[in-house]
Amino acid sequence: MRDDLRQISVWIPEGATVLDLGCGDGALLAHLQRDKNVIGYGLEIDQDNLVACFENGVNVIEQDLDKGLGTFQSERFDYVVMTQALQAVLRPDRILDEMLRVGREAIITFPNFGHWRVRSYLGFKGRMPVSSALPYEWYDTPNIHLCTVRDFEAHCRESGIRIIERQVVNRHHRSGALTRLMPNLFGEIAIYRVTR
Amino acid sequence: MPDSFPQDSVGLVQPRTLHVDQPLELECGRSLPAYDLVYETYGSLNADASNAVLICHALSGHHHAAGYHSQDDKRPGWWESCIGPGKPIDTDRFFVVCPNNLGGCHGSSGPTSLNPDTGQPWGPDFPMMTVKDWVKSQTRLADALGIERWAAVVGGSLGGMQALQWSIDFPERLRHAVVIAGAPKLSAQNIAFNEVARQSILTDPNFHGGRYYLHDTYPRQGLILARMVGHITYLSDDAMRMKFGRDLRSGRFHFGFDVEFQVESYLRHQGEIFSRNFDANTYLLMTKALDYFDPAREHGDSLENALARTRCNFLVMSFNSDWRFAPERSREIVDALVQVGRSVSYSEIDTPKGHDAFLLPIDEYCQLFGAYMGRVADEVSAHA
């Protein structure tokens, strides 16, 4: 399992109800179902991912995140998770609001656009950054709303979203002295647990 | 036609009949003292009877879901696209059972069968059936076949409604319910279309109050009209545009009321075939069963309360061009299931084929359906 998913599964307690936005092949939910008795649902639109979820025995609902979560009742879930998809939705601010409407807490991961390598790529090469965390060219990238750790935290402050926990890690999903000291410069992937 | 059947077909099949002597108490207050259920099976039942799949048919369906009845049978069963070796409902792994519903006209007790009290065909006196009654009658078939618990109950359209009813009425008797192109109840518009179909039959001079068998005739025109209006609702606007457009049969206008546009020709042809093969009283009865279907009604009009009784896992599928039972109708089921914490997966298939899509070999649909059923098969074999 991916390390950011491992971190998330540490945060989610036994028996919780979980909604996973853009759940991919359902790896996280499969793990949570098996090891933590979680009742979970994933949302996906990709055919291959839907098939993979079916095969993995994960509940998956075909639903476009850009159309909101209006079909789910408020506070239906303990946790609403979105890994590596915040930057790819049309309105990250609205989806965040929706996540915190249908869930008590939200867990979000995104690639930090403030990482020094991204900055230097743009600063020195003068080209849109391409890296392992951001593997796309400017013209084909699904990442239309990239942000930095500082951007995200500023948005949370302005929107009354409380950050409960933060993990900022490097490309190997490890956190060290540098990522702790200067997360916006040395963190490649940011993992947040937030609530209203 | 075929000397040998296609590799992925169940091949030659034979219907069987279960006679039940135990009376069936019906929702309408009446009871059927005894009845026949005709059914087909494909594949083989495993030692612990855990791999059985029940197929519930739709409005004009029957027990012949797959395979061929004879070497020169031109057409296979109605769900040949999804049932067979290696198909979504894989007969190498599942024991598949498909009955004809009570009130039908393909061998199970219905308006065309003899009323033991009179020695005449039941006709309009055959009791009104509901989805709930059908499900209850299907439990008798399960009992007779030694099936305590279905691996899955599967159906499209009205068949999906039966699967849903199974999950509510007999929660312990199925592991999975697969509800395709269904709805939790009919809308006013759905009922309206059914009513037009019924009125066209009821007002046909050859209907004779439903006792047309005694007059050696049948309401042919009424059945044709009923099917024509029904058929329009099974196709999408796009599907009709692609299939017919405004094509003319002879290439020019005739300024009359004979068939000119291809779509007219098609509808009349479909109606004609249907009228020869389907009983009018059955059509009336089946459309009423659709109209009455509303499992929430006996649970305080709350679908969530109704579904809170369920224990099985659900697969719900819809088709984006289906306007008869549109995706939103399937979502009502999904959302209620999520609200009560049931296991449910949902897919909305992108196709222009409309409501009828559930019968067609559409890649995306068959792939997902097969993936889900494969998982079901793994589960029951792991369990064995």
Side-chain angles (χ1 to χ4, degrees):
Chain A
M1 191 165 59
R2 254 168 41 204
D3 290 281
D4 56 336
L5 302 186
R6 183 157 307 146
Q7 176 59 54
I8 292 168
S9 68
V10 169
W11 281 344
I12 293 179
E14 185 84 15
T17 53
V18 176
L19 182 67
D20 186 356
L21 312 186
C23 66
D25 63 4
L28 175 66
L29 287 173
H31 168 76
L32 290 173
Q33 262 168 231
R34 199 175 48 241
D35 291 4
K36 293 208 163 173
N37 245 337
V38 152
I39 300 174
Y41 305 86
L43 303 187
E44 252 304 329
I45 46 170
D46 179 76
Q47 170 83 4
D48 291 340
N49 282 335
L50 289 167
V51 169
C53 287
F54 282 17
E55 288 170 349
N56 289 331
V58 166
N59 294 322
V60 63
I61 294 169
E62 185 169 350
Q63 183 166 337
D64 186 349
L65 299 185
D66 285 330
K67 292 183 180 153
L69 304 177
T71 51
F72 300 104
Q73 296 189 15
S74 295
E75 292 176 34
R76 172 67 191 85
F77 301 98
D78 296 322
Y79 293 87
V80 182
V81 177
M82 185 160 65
T83 62
Q84 304 290 336
L86 184 71
Q87 74 281 359
V89 297
L90 278 179
R91 287 294 296 266
D93 54 338
R94 287 188 191 152
I95 199 83
L96 266 173
D97 285 345
E98 276 289 87
M99 289 172 78
L100 290 170
R101 177 183 67 81
V102 302
R104 276 194 310 112
E105 290 184 14
I107 296 174
I108 296 135
T109 79
F110 59 86
N112 173 28
F113 208 68
H115 186 255
W116 67 267
R117 205 177 281 118
V118 175
R119 296 189 200 198
S120 65
Y121 205 107
L122 186 62
F124 292 112
K125 287 195 182 174
R127 301 209 36 198
M128 284 302 282
V130 178
S131 69
S132 59
L134 299 165
Y136 301 95
E137 293 289 346
W138 61 273
Y139 47 79
D140 65 1
T141 181
N143 301 324
I144 52 178
H145 288 293
L146 289 159
C147 69
T148 68
V149 162
R150 203 169 281 170
D151 285 329
F152 182 79
E153 294 187 4
H155 175 72
C156 288
R157 255 194 321 277
E158 287 157 16
S159 318
I161 295 171
R162 189 164 64 81
I163 295 167
I164 305 170
E165 261 178 285
R166 180 184 74 187
Q167 275 271 335
V168 177
V169 295
N170 65 19
R171 68 168 75 184
H172 306 297
H173 291 275
R174 288 200 197 97
S175 84
L178 284 177
T179 56
R180 273 193 293 274
L181 204 61
M182 302 178 81
N184 199 32
L185 198 57
F186 292 104
E188 278 180 277
I189 293 168
I191 314 173
Y192 284 89
R193 189 150 76 89
V194 300
T195 190
R196 277 271 183 227
Chain B
M1 183 187 79
D3 282 328
S4 60
F5 302 108
Q7 281 290 304
D8 62 354
S9 174
V10 295
L12 203 59
V13 294
Q14 227 178 357
R16 269 174 277 182
T17 303
L18 173 74
H19 180 76
V20 184
D21 269 322
Q22 192 187 353
L24 186 71
E25 303 301 328
L26 304 169
E27 233 188 319
C28 65
R30 294 171 64 189
S31 116
L32 266 183
Y35 55 92
D36 285 341
L37 277 178
V38 62
Y39 65 98
E40 286 182 3
T41 69
Y42 324 111
S44 37
L45 189 62
N46 61 7
D48 64 350
S50 64
N51 70 332
V53 171
L54 177 70
I55 307 293
C56 302
H57 71 72
L59 180 58
S60 57
H62 42 68
H63 56 286
H64 183 38
Y68 299 81
H69 277 165
S70 69
Q71 287 294 337
D72 26 54
D73 207 348
K74 286 195 183 63
R75 300 186 66 182
W78 56 268
W79 219 5
E80 184 74 5
S81 61
C82 291
I83 303 170
K87 290 181 181 170
I89 301 169
D90 189 343
T91 50
D92 288 339
R93 308 190 72 185
F94 290 117
F95 176 63
V96 180
V97 181
C98 182
N100 180 213
N101 284 343
L102 285 176
C105 53
H106 293 90
S108 290
S109 298
T112 53
S113 36
L114 294 185
N115 179 347
D117 291 344
T118 63
Q120 301 284 348
W122 280 95
D125 301 328
F126 194 82
M128 199 66 94
M129 288 288 154
T130 65
V131 170
K132 213 174 161 61
D133 297 329
W134 283 333
V135 166
K136 203 200 278 182
S137 72
Q138 289 158 1
T139 63
R140 307 270 171 87
L141 178 59
D143 296 342
L145 294 171
I147 297 158
E148 184 63 37
R149 193 178 187 199
W150 300 100
V153 177
V154 180
S157 193
L158 177 56
M161 295 171 184
Q162 291 163 63
L164 198 61
Q165 192 77 53
W166 260 98
S167 73
I168 297 165
D169 288 356
F170 300 97
E172 307 296 343
R173 295 201 69 175
L174 67 166
R175 288 177 175 277
H176 294 264
V178 179
V179 181
I180 308 169
K185 63 185 172 200
L186 265 64
S187 67
Q189 189 192 44
N190 294 146
I191 295 171
F193 276 111
N194 282 345
E195 176 59 2
V196 173
R198 282 192 295 268
Q199 283 303 321
S200 61
I201 291 169
L202 292 166
T203 57
D204 185 313
N206 287 328
F207 183 63
H208 296 288
R211 298 185 199 283
Y212 43 88
Y213 318 106
L214 303 176
H215 296 78
D216 208 19
T217 182
Y218 66 99
R220 177 177 166 275
Q221 204 52 47
L223 269 168
I224 291 177
L225 283 178
R227 185 58 171 183
M228 284 170 80
V229 71
H231 209 97
I232 296 168
T233 69
Y234 305 151
L235 302 177
S236 70
D237 190 18
D238 275 347
M240 283 182 130
R241 185 168 23 247
M242 282 189 286
K243 199 163 180 166
F244 313 109
R246 292 177 48 85
D247 294 351
L248 294 161
R249 281 228 299 185
S250 69
R252 64 182 188 88
F253 290 166
H254 289 276
F255 301 101
F257 298 110
D258 270 348
V259 168
E260 290 191 88
F261 291 95
Q262 288 292 8
V263 65
E264 296 173 319
S265 163
Y266 174 82
L267 283 179
R268 288 191 198 191
H269 178 67
Q270 291 296 326
E272 178 64 43
I273 295 175
F274 185 75
S275 73
R276 278 186 257 132
N277 297 308
F278 211 82
D279 177 65
N281 283 315
T282 289
Y283 200 81
L284 294 173
L285 186 149
M286 297 265 176
T287 58
K288 285 303 276 191
L290 266 169
D291 293 0
Y292 291 137
F293 178 71
D294 182 6
R297 201 162 177 270
E298 57 178 332
H299 297 95
D301 272 324
S302 158
L303 186 58
E304 285 168 20
N305 286 349
L307 292 174
R309 300 167 50 88
T310 64
R311 291 290 170 269
C312 66
N313 300 320
F314 291 82
L315 171 63
V316 179
M317 283 192 280
S318 69
F319 303 94
N320 64 348
S321 56
D322 182 354
W323 58 282
R324 183 182 173 87
F325 299 135
E328 295 74 43
R329 308 308 314 282
S330 286
R331 271 314 292 250
E332 289 172 36
I333 299 170
V334 174
D335 297 341
L337 285 168
V338 170
Q339 190 56 29
V340 294
R342 292 297 168 273
S343 280
V344 55
S345 283
Y346 170 70
S347 174
E348 181 183 321
I349 309 293
D350 182 18
T351 169
K353 299 289 186 186
H355 185 62
D356 263 357
F358 84 88
L359 296 166
L360 303 174
I362 296 164
D363 287 346
E364 189 191 356
Y365 164 50
C366 290
Q367 191 191 16
L368 285 165
F369 193 4
Y372 190 90
M373 292 307 293
R375 173 80 191 188
V376 176
D378 291 345
E379 246 178 62
V380 294
S381 54
H383 198 255

